[in-house]
Amino acid sequence: GTGPILMDNVRCRGSEAKLQYCSSTSQQNSYCGHHEDASVSCATIRLRGENATPSEGRVEVLQNGVWGTVCDNGWDIDDATVVCRQLGYSRALSAPRRAAYGQGTGPILMTYVRCRGSEAKLQDCPFRKYSSYYSCGHSKDASVSCATRPFQVENTTDSYGEMDNGSTTATTQ
């Protein structure tokens, strides 16, 4: 880059709404050069489709400025878990296949996704870039259904639960 360096030694906790809210060394105390400029690359994912909600729908990923779908070849609950966590939910309830939320449009960008369930984002999982060799159409678009939010079970101190799209599940620890 060029111009003044506005922040140095940036330290975020992860809960800040803006980069400016993170602690950093002021410009006057900066010993930083442009050869140390930082950058961010965001992997983008969304849920879309017929009757989709923020917590369930057809999985779509953004790659090189183009939205596309994920083929359900090999799609399972571990893959769905990674998607749900990437979107901010605690876990996946199911990994619907066969365009459960309707067929997408545009390119099919990923197939044979093989997450272990511990990855931070879907793009960290092993997968194959789609080609016609893999025999997948939008009739096989992958989907997820995610647990929506945690809640505290009444009159108990060692229990927790989650809202699962309208029903509750309680588990004691």
Side-chain angles (χ1 to χ4, degrees), residues 132-149:
S132 58
Y133 174 80
Y134 296 119
S135 176
C136 189
H138 285 296
S139 63
K140 293 180 69 177
D141 285 341
S143 302
V144 297
S145 178
C146 305
T148 55
R149 59 186 166 93

Side-chain angles (χ1 to χ4, degrees), residues 18 20 32 35 38 40 50 52 55 64 74 83-84 94 157 167:
K18 295 182 177 183
Q20 295 89 327
C32 183
H35 66 283
V40 175
E50 299 164 13
S55 63
N64 298 323
V83 169
C84 290
S94 64
T157 58
S167 63

Side-chain angles (χ1 to χ4, degrees), residues 54-142:
S55 63
E56 60 184 29
R58 178 182 59 249
V59 177
E60 295 186 355
V61 294
L62 183 65
Q63 194 173 82
N64 298 323
V66 177
W67 285 102
T69 61
V70 177
C71 182
D72 72 5
N73 289 340
W75 189 252
D76 64 19
I77 196 70
D78 291 332
D79 306 322
T81 294
V82 172
V83 169
C84 290
R85 276 203 327 272
Q86 185 176 353
L87 291 169
Y89 300 104
S90 60
R91 66 185 179 96
L93 300 174
S94 64
R97 300 172 64 163
R98 303 208 181 278
Y101 291 88
Q103 295 183 21
T105 59
I108 299 168
L109 297 174
M110 302 170 80
T111 188
Y112 291 103
V113 177
R114 302 221 181 257
C115 298
R116 291 182 314 274
S118 58
E119 295 87 352
K121 58 188 181 196
L122 190 64
Q123 292 84 344
D124 292 340
C125 301
F127 70 92
R128 295 181 185 163
K129 291 182 180 179
Y130 177 75
S131 78
S132 58
Y133 174 80
Y134 296 119
S135 176
C136 189
H138 285 296
S139 63
K140 293 180 69 177
D141 285 341

Side-chain angles (χ1 to χ4, degrees), residues 91 151-153 156 158-162 168-173:
R91 66 185 179 96
F151 73 95
Q152 182 67 37
V153 178
T156 315
D158 62 348
S159 299
Y160 70 93
E162 293 175 338
T168 59
T169 302
T171 306
T172 56
Q173 297 178 340

